Amino acid sequence: MTSDRRNLNLIVLLFTFAIGVLPAVAQSNELYGSSGLGDPLYPELGNGGYDAQHYTIDLTVDMETNFITATTTIEAITLQPLSAFNLDLAGLEVTDVLVNDSVADFQRTGNELTVILAEELPTDSALTVVVQYNGVPAPVQDPGLLYRPVGWAMYESGIFVLSEPSGAMSWFPSNNHPLDKAAYTFRVTVAKPYSVAANGILMDQQDNGDTQTFIYEARDPMASYLATVNISEMVMVVDTGANGLPIRNFFPPNEAERLTEAFAPTADMIEFYESLIGPFPFETYGALVVNDGTLGGALENQTLSIFGINAVADEFVAHELAHQWFGNSVSMVTWQDIWLNEGFATYFAALWREHTQGSAAFETYMNEVYRSLQTIPPDLLIGQPPVARLLDLQIYFRGAWTLHALRLTFGDEVFFEILRAYYARFQYANASTADFVEVASTISGQDLAEFFQAWLYNPELPEIPATN
Ligand code: TRP
Ligand code: ZN
C-alpha cells in the first residue's frame, strides 16, 4: 500500500467517524449510555444505561472560601452493555475517576461527565464509580426557576442546598433525574463550631480536633433534587411523632424558641396525613430554617424540609410535609408531571386548614383560589407546562382544584380511596399523570380521561362540578 492510499484511507476513516460514529454516540450508541433520560423539559438531565443504587458523598468544606474537596462514590447496576456512560456535573474540577477499582478516562462537555470504561461491561454488572473533585460550587441557572439559582449556596451564616429542579449537579455527580432514585450517605467535614444537617439520620459525629465529621444516612430511595447538606451554627430541637417517628428540627440559635413554637404542629400534621393516606414514608422528619431573608420560599428536601426565615407559616409547613408523600415517596416520571407534586401539596395544606379551622374556612379558601384562577389568562396546560412555567402558581392552584373537583364529583369516600390506592401503588417509586388517571378511573368505576383532559390539558378553567 502506498502512503497516498494510506492517507486516503485515513481520510475516509475519519470522515466515516465524523458522520457515522459520533452522532450515533451522541444519540446513544448501544454501548454508550445516553446523555439524558428523554425528559421533555430537561432532555440532558439524567443518563441512560445504568441505575444508581447508592451515593456516598464525602465533602470537606472550607467555610472561609466555600471550597469543597470531595469524593462521591456511586454504586450502580448497568442496564445495558456499556463502554462509556455519563454523570451530570456542573463546574468543579474532576481530578480522578475510578470504576470498579481501576482508573478510568473521562471527558467533560457542558454538564456531562463522560466516563470511558477500560473494558466493556455487560448488562446487570455492578458498577462502582468513585469521582474525586474539588472547587467552589457555582450556582446553577435553571430554565424552570428563573428568580434564583439552584444548588449549593453560601450565605452569611453558612451554606444551604436547595436544588429543585437541576441543582444537584452543582455539588455532586449523579444521574440527575427523579426517575433514578437511590439511597445516600453523607460524610461532611467542617471546622468547629459549625454543624451539619443533611437528609436522613445522624449516625455519627466525629471529633478530629479542629474539625468534625458528620455522617448522615438516608436509606430510602431519594431523587437527586431532594438531597441537601446545610452548614451553619444551629441548634437541633427534637420531638417524637406518632409511632415513635423521630422529629428533629434545625434552627438558628437566636430564633430557636420562636421557631420551636412555629413547628410544634408538625407531629399532629403527620398524624392527620397518615390518617388520610398511609404511614409517613421515611425514617425521620424535620425542618431546617435558614437565616437568610432573601430566601422567600421553602423546599421539601426528603426528611428535612428547608424554610427561609421569612417563609415559616402553617401553610408552608403543611405544604412541605405533604410533599414527603407526594413528590418524595411518589415521584414524577418526567418534570411535566410537576402538578402531581405541587397540586397535591397545595391541596393537602388546604385539607389541614379544613381539619383545624373547619369546612367554612376551607371552602372560603378554595373559592378564593378558584376566583384567582379566573382572573389569570388561560394560557397554561398544567399537565404539560413549558419549562419556563414549571413552578408557575397556576400549577399549584389549578392542580389543587383538579383534586378538589374530583372530590366534589365522587364524594369523600371514593376520593380518598383513589388517593390511598394511588399512593400505595407508587410509594417509593415513580408515577405519571396517566398512572393517576388510571387509578382514579379504576376506583371510581368511570373513564375519567375527559375529566382530566379538561382540568390538565385544556387551557380554559372548567366549571366547578356539582357536589356529590
Ligand atoms: N418545591 C417547592 C415548593 O414546595 C418550590 C421550589 C422549587 C423551590 N425549587 C425551589 C423553593 C428552590 C426554593 C428554592 O413549593
Ligand atoms: Zn411544593
Side-chain angles (χ1 to χ4, degrees), residues 60-63 189-195 209-212 214 231:
T60 300
V61 183
D62 183 331
M63 297 300 287
T189 302
V190 70
K192 291 174 180 172
Y194 289 103
S195 28
D210 292 344
T211 66
Q212 299 183 86
F214 294 78
I231 310 174

Side-chain angles (χ1 to χ4, degrees), residues 145 147-148 150 162-165 295 297-300 319-320 323 342 391 396:
L145 190 95
Y147 68 91
R148 59 168 301 121
V150 290
L162 292 172
S163 289
E164 188 185 14
L295 178 59
L299 182 68
E300 66 271 20
H319 179 109
E320 307 314 327
H323 274 307
E342 300 307 344
L391 290 155
Y396 290 64

Side-chain angles (χ1 to χ4, degrees), residues 400-421:
W401 252 99
T402 302
L403 293 177
H404 193 48
L406 193 64
R407 182 178 174 195
L408 292 175
T409 306
F410 293 106
D412 281 14
E413 203 172 311
V414 170
F415 173 70
F416 286 108
E417 202 184 321
I418 290 169
L419 295 191
R420 272 193 296 275

